[in-house]
Amino acid sequence: DAGVTQSPTHLIKTRGQQVTLRCSPKSGHDTVSWYQQALGQGPQFIFQYYEEEERQRGNFPDRFSGHQFPNYSSELNVNALLLGDSALYLCASSLYSGAPSRTEAFFGQGTRLTVV
Amino acid sequence: QKEVEQNSGPLSVPEGAIASLNCTYSDRGSQSFFWYRQYSGKSPELIMFIYSNGDKEDGRFTAQLNKASQYVSLLIRDSQPSDSATYLCAVNGGTGFQKLVFGTGTRLLVSP
């Protein structure tokens, strides 16, 4: 049973460029959330997708956008990259149950993005 | 005030001892609380979650929740060097859908 998979694992981009990160959720899961983790910090919620729609969004600018496909996989896009966007980007998948307090979210291995 | 607060550590314990990790949160409406373990350079791994006041045990791990005091803790019994990692406390801040709000984590060092 495949867990949450993310690609690529590492990426180096130049300021001003655009990047796309990909995530395949755990088998049986239908909800994907994206988090950004800066060095020495806890993960910060970017946004969440369910039924191909963005359901919740954290305090991130519109440069961060996403998409969910019919097979539940998801992409995170970041435009006009800044040096401060350098971080570990984590995808978490879960199964929507209508009871968020009982939902377990499992993380992928992450994509390490470096902006130079 | 940060939404979820943890002591950054490091917390150093000898092998075989009990490690106690603590977390406080500011939103009284929070309903569920999660502990993740993160090894250096790796992604967070879910250890356990709790949503009712009291204790919840899973193997060597016990989560404790006190909603009145807005306090959640994780006890690790018989600590092993392999338990050395950063432990992240997360609170579900979402309504309808889950949105995890994380603390900065506590680094645990277990010495042989």
Side-chain angles (χ1 to χ4, degrees):
Chain A
D1 178 24
V4 183
T5 58
Q6 293 184 241
S7 63
T9 54
H10 294 83
L11 204 51
I12 300 175
K13 289 287 190 177
T14 304
R15 272 183 304 174
Q17 284 189 316
Q18 177 264 345
V19 68
T20 297
L21 310 182
R22 296 177 175 83
C23 172
S24 292
K26 181 179 169 66
S27 177
H29 284 184
D30 56 10
T31 304
V32 173
S33 302
W34 287 92
Y35 291 80
Q36 179 197 65
Q37 186 176 24
L39 201 60
Q41 302 297 314
Q44 283 198 300
F45 178 80
I46 303 175
F47 44 52
Q48 179 182 75
Y49 280 86
Y50 171 71
E51 290 189 336
E52 302 178 50
E53 289 189 17
E54 182 182 294
R55 299 294 177 168
Q56 292 191 97
R57 188 177 184 93
N59 188 25
F60 279 81
D62 291 344
R63 297 187 299 109
F64 290 77
S65 63
H67 189 77
Q68 186 179 36
F69 299 94
N71 67 353
Y72 309 119
S73 67
S74 176
E75 288 182 350
L76 163 66
N77 301 293
V78 187
N79 294 322
L81 284 167
L82 304 173
L83 295 179
D85 294 332
S86 296
L88 179 66
Y89 288 84
L90 296 161
C91 167
S93 81
S94 57
L95 176 64
Y96 177 70
S97 65
S101 63
R102 309 270 194 281
T103 301
E104 297 176 76
F106 297 90
F107 285 88
Q109 81 279 17
T111 295
R112 174 74 62 187
L113 172 65
T114 302
V115 182
V116 297
Chain B
Q1 181 187 8
K2 290 184 179 178
E3 293 183 72
V4 180
E5 296 209 45
Q6 296 181 258
N7 188 316
S8 61
L11 172 65
S12 295
V13 300
E15 184 175 357
I18 296 176
S20 178
L21 304 159
N22 305 315
C23 172
T24 58
Y25 59 95
S26 60
D27 184 358
R28 281 198 171 275
S30 301
Q31 296 186 13
S32 54
F33 310 84
F34 300 76
W35 283 100
Y36 285 84
R37 175 175 63 194
Q38 187 172 30
Y39 293 109
S40 181
K42 303 296 185 182
S43 64
E45 172 192 7
L46 180 63
I47 298 173
M48 62 192 304
F49 71 99
I50 186 169
Y51 51 84
S52 298
N53 273 330
D55 296 358
K56 179 181 179 182
E57 186 175 319
D58 184 358
R60 295 188 297 114
F61 300 97
T62 299
Q64 299 175 317
L65 174 61
N66 184 325
K67 290 186 178 180
S69 300
Q70 296 176 245
Y71 177 92
V72 59
S73 65
L74 179 70
L75 301 178
I76 306 175
R77 289 181 300 281
D78 189 24
S79 295
Q80 301 297 309
S82 59
D83 294 326
S84 297
T86 295
Y87 288 79
L88 296 163
C89 171
V91 175
N92 178 30
T95 55
F97 287 86
Q98 186 186 73
K99 170 190 168 184
L100 295 177
V101 179
F102 284 84
T104 55
T106 297
R107 187 176 168 213
L108 173 66
L109 297 176
V110 182
S111 54

